[in-house]
Amino acid sequence: MLGRLCFLVAITLSLGAAPPHAAVRAPQFTVETQWLKMPADLVFGEVAAVDVDKHDQLWVLQRPRTAKPGPGQQAAPPIMIFDRHGVYLRGFGGPGPGFDWPANEHSLAVDALGRVWITGNGRSDPKTADDMLLTFDSAGRFLRQIGRPGGTRGDDDVENLSAPADVFVDLGHHEVYVADGYGNRRVIVFDSETGKFKRMWSAFGAVPPSLPAPPTREPGRAFTPETGNGPAGFNGVHGVELSRDGLVYVSDRNNQRVQVFTRGGRYLRQVFIDRNEASAQTASGMAFSADAAQRFLYVADFGNSKVLIFDRRSLKAIGEIGGKGDAPGQFLGPHLMATDSHGNLYVAEVPGRRLQRFTLKAN
């Protein structure tokens, strides 16, 4: 078993020019890094994603192919379930009959029925690229697959994905939203019970562009700072979340922004995430605070190694957590995130190979 460490996280406040009565204080957290109680014979690799079910159990997606087991150890299953205290309960996943397991595990979502939805973003070989979405029940039994490996025909294809990133399930409307962003440039929505295509859109609610996205700016190279509203199309659609008041939040990672839409894909507004900083890959995973109004929006800046805190109503940045490093409260590639019913924030790190828990402090 791993020990438990708790540290106070300093949140740097950056209040915007909101009127005094509208000033919002950022939530405060303590951070725990070594709180997962893993069996001694299991080791995980890159931690790609985390979600929290209605029982506050944690569902963690990791990449067994990247694990480095020691003597007497083996790679943990790609899907691991923990109770709210971090105790390992069980795991499953990997190749099996009747479905195509992804080459590179990327995201998972657990719906209110206990079904788990899995995406992968492997695309090193176009013939076997992860162009599908998988669904399993809570015991790991296969239920459905949308798309097939290497099946993509581009952004017009309504049967296949193209190395999709994140996924969100809206059972109230029987819909599943997919951030189809490593190969395509769109959000696509399917019927969660039949797998039938329903709708899709790109940046500003427009039809997905027919041309490929421009290359991502590399850190350290000179560039012309971006201004204005940003590019017309998505570039690296990485995260998708649906708020309780029916707004769809989409992280457009390589365009350094989060855009907000109605369920139908009508564009409402946007906020830039660390625009023109050293790394152009910023807006990655997102999560909402647990209060009824979901007052806060958390956004992971993957390339610049921090988590930004926004007042969700105004989209003003009010604080941040982290900085590059492997100390508690720092990050090495904060990827996808989730919150539990108590407001605690969980951050999966890909290069960092860990899951940090940020425990919400009482006011």
Side-chain angles (χ1 to χ4, degrees), residues 235-274:
N235 183 3
V237 192
H238 195 274
V240 59
E241 297 287 337
L242 176 67
S243 62
R244 294 189 186 113
D245 52 4
L247 301 180
V248 181
Y249 291 72
V250 179
S251 58
D252 187 11
R253 189 164 73 174
N254 298 343
N255 285 332
Q256 306 166 320
R257 63 190 177 189
V258 170
Q259 293 198 331
V260 187
F261 304 87
T262 65
R263 279 189 174 94
R266 179 170 62 87
Y267 170 77
L268 298 175
R269 52 188 174 152
Q270 68 178 0
V271 61
F272 287 100
I273 309 299
D274 289 334

Side-chain angles (χ1 to χ4, degrees), residues 269-353:
R269 52 188 174 152
Q270 68 178 0
V271 61
F272 287 100
I273 309 299
D274 289 334
R275 195 181 199 189
N276 296 320
E277 285 206 9
S279 174
Q281 288 193 318
T282 66
S284 186
M286 299 174 291
F288 302 120
S289 57
D291 56 284
Q294 297 178 316
R295 293 182 65 197
F296 303 108
L297 169 68
Y298 307 110
V299 182
D301 178 343
F302 181 84
N304 298 296
S305 298
K306 53 188 171 180
V307 172
L308 280 70
I309 305 173
F310 291 86
D311 170 27
R312 190 171 72 88
R313 182 177 180 182
S314 66
L315 286 184
K316 290 186 179 295
I318 59 171
E320 62 182 51
I321 306 170
K324 190 172 184 179
D326 57 7
Q330 295 181 320
F331 300 108
L332 293 173
H335 196 232
L336 295 171
M337 305 188 296
T339 51
D340 64 20
S341 66
H342 299 276
N344 304 318
L345 176 66
Y346 301 85
V347 183
E349 296 176 68
V350 173
R353 294 171 175 255

Side-chain angles (χ1 to χ4, degrees), residues 31-50:
V31 62
E32 302 171 76
T33 56
Q34 299 184 38
W35 56 281
L36 290 179
K37 284 75 173 177
M38 285 281 291
D41 63 334
L42 295 181
V43 61
F44 52 73
E46 297 173 350
V47 183
V50 57

Side-chain angles (χ1 to χ4, degrees), residues 14 42 47 52 69 93 99 122 137 150 154 156-157 185 219 315 328 346 360:
S14 179
L42 295 181
V47 183
V52 180
F99 59 88
D137 70 13
D156 293 332
D157 190 346
R185 303 173 67 185
L315 286 184
Y346 301 85
L360 183 66

Side-chain angles (χ1 to χ4, degrees), residues 70-91:
Q73 293 181 317
Q74 60 182 329
I79 300 171
M80 300 183 292
I81 302 96
F82 299 84
D83 71 13
R84 63 182 300 267
H85 302 292
V87 176
Y88 180 76
L89 300 176
R90 65 189 187 280

